[in-house]
Amino acid sequence: MTQPSSYTYLGPEGTFTEAALLQVPGAGEARRVPASTVAAALDAVRSEAVDAAMVPIENSVEGGVSATLDAIAVGEPLRILREELVPITFVLAARAGTTLGAVRRIATHGHAWAQCRSWVDATIADAEYFPSSSTAAAAYGLVDGDESYDGAICSPLVAERLGLAVLAEDIGDVSDAVTRFVLVGRPDALPARTGADKTTLVIPLPEDHPGALMQILDQFAARGVNLSRIESRPTGQFLGDYFFSVDADGHVEDARVADALKGLHRISPGLRFLGSYARADRRSPAVERHTSDEAFSSADHWLGGILGDRPR
Ligand SMILES: O=C(O)C(=O)Cc1ccccc1
């Protein structure tokens, strides 16, 4: 797989997403273009304006990032190439001269707001929330003279870079929160199996199919494939139409994962493979003997002996 030479990310400069991108070897020296939304970042990959996009996908406190789960599930297919974990700490920043007591209107990204709610509720009476496309965009707004709010929840780094006053530090409700980001490229790429991999799937819930969810889960369970994330999202088409966004342990080149995907495709033919890539924590799954590559290949061999060269 060739290394991407140009990247986009949820910007502007100074987002946690940019920090995730800078963890990718070589990205610091490559062309990097900020995007104003996750959807715009993914579209820039689809239109080949850049090779890959870094976007947030999951937070240890708030769960899945809906904007990413939805934008990656539809449209021209994309591929996840790698994941990055970033520890997240938030500060409350304001223009110089503003006191903590004077801040009531706070701008930030929805995930940051959700992760600082207890601190805000305990500290700022009647706080008003101004949604922003990213934590950094909220901080830039203060500098650019946006008078509609007087404080921004952002990273300590962007507050410092912009010369903002930090009124409170480490205001996240969970002090060791981590966000997971994924680097997304075009579908011709398939990262090599490392033995400690993750596979991400979009599984449409088949309509009028009693027991579909149980059958979907059974495809993983029967092959000893562990799931590390499962979320349901509405497709937006009509009420009751859902897809599941799933992370499974293992690589599509692992026989147990490939076999589970075949089973899933029989149940949900609209199944979308979003990629197999190395786990950021490098943790290998425990594989039972009967779901090992050897067990699958020996079973194929055995059946081949029975069927000979009859078409299968
Ligand atoms: O807004 C940012 O800085 C982002 O990169 C998105 C985000 C927001 C909150 C927690 C983690 C990532």
Side-chain angles (χ1 to χ4, degrees), residues 9-12 14-19 38 55-59 65 86 88 90 108-113 115 132-137 153-155 178-181:
Y9 60 94
L10 174 66
T15 56
F16 292 108
T17 314
E18 188 195 22
V38 167
V55 290
I57 192 163
E58 179 186 7
N59 181 270
V65 178
V86 178
I88 304 290
F90 298 107
T108 195
H109 185 273
H111 263 242
W113 180 247
Q115 288 175 63
S132 188
S133 55
S134 70
T135 56
I153 294 178
C154 58
S155 74
V178 174
T179 296
R180 181 176 156 238
F181 298 82

Side-chain angles (χ1 to χ4, degrees), residues 85-293:
L85 303 179
V86 178
I88 304 290
T89 48
F90 298 107
V91 300
L92 178 69
R95 292 180 201 95
T98 312
T99 59
L100 182 55
V103 175
R104 207 173 63 81
R105 300 166 305 165
I106 302 173
T108 195
H109 185 273
H111 263 242
W113 180 247
Q115 288 175 63
C116 299
R117 277 317 295 273
S118 306
W119 181 87
V120 170
D121 289 347
T123 319
I124 301 176
D126 303 325
E128 221 182 309
Y129 166 49
F130 284 73
S132 188
S133 55
S134 70
T135 56
Y140 278 89
L142 287 174
V143 178
D144 295 344
D146 187 335
E147 297 283 337
S148 55
Y149 55 91
D150 25 54
I153 294 178
C154 58
S155 74
L157 198 68
V158 83
E160 189 196 309
R161 266 199 222 167
L162 297 181
L164 291 166
V166 172
L167 303 184
E169 284 179 299
D170 211 0
I171 62 172
D173 300 336
V174 176
S175 59
D176 47 4
V178 174
T179 296
R180 181 176 156 238
F181 298 82
V182 285
L183 186 67
V184 181
R186 286 182 286 276
D188 47 355
L190 181 61
R193 169 160 71 157
T194 67
D197 306 288
K198 201 177 262 187
T199 291
T200 300
L201 305 167
V202 172
I203 312 170
L205 187 62
E207 226 184 303
D208 299 329
H209 181 143
L213 176 56
M214 203 167 92
Q215 289 172 16
I216 286 169
L217 294 178
D218 193 42
Q219 303 310 309
F220 298 105
R223 278 102 178 167
V225 176
N226 184 55
L227 301 186
S228 57
R229 184 181 59 83
I230 175 161
E231 270 158 300
S232 65
R233 292 288 309 150
T235 62
Q237 301 292 316
F238 53 88
L239 202 61
D241 197 29
Y242 279 83
F243 68 85
F244 288 96
S245 173
V246 167
D247 288 336
D249 285 354
H251 194 282
V252 64
E253 288 173 7
D254 294 326
R256 65 187 187 290
V257 175
D259 209 52
L261 294 195
K262 286 201 274 179
L264 286 169
H265 191 270
R266 283 188 279 111
I267 296 165
S268 180
L271 174 69
R272 192 181 267 227
F273 172 74
L274 283 184
S276 291
Y277 48 93
R279 286 176 69 111
D281 63 10
R282 302 286 180 263
R283 237 181 36 222
S284 315
V287 180
E288 289 178 287
R289 197 208 56 81
H290 72 279
T291 59
S292 65
D293 280 5

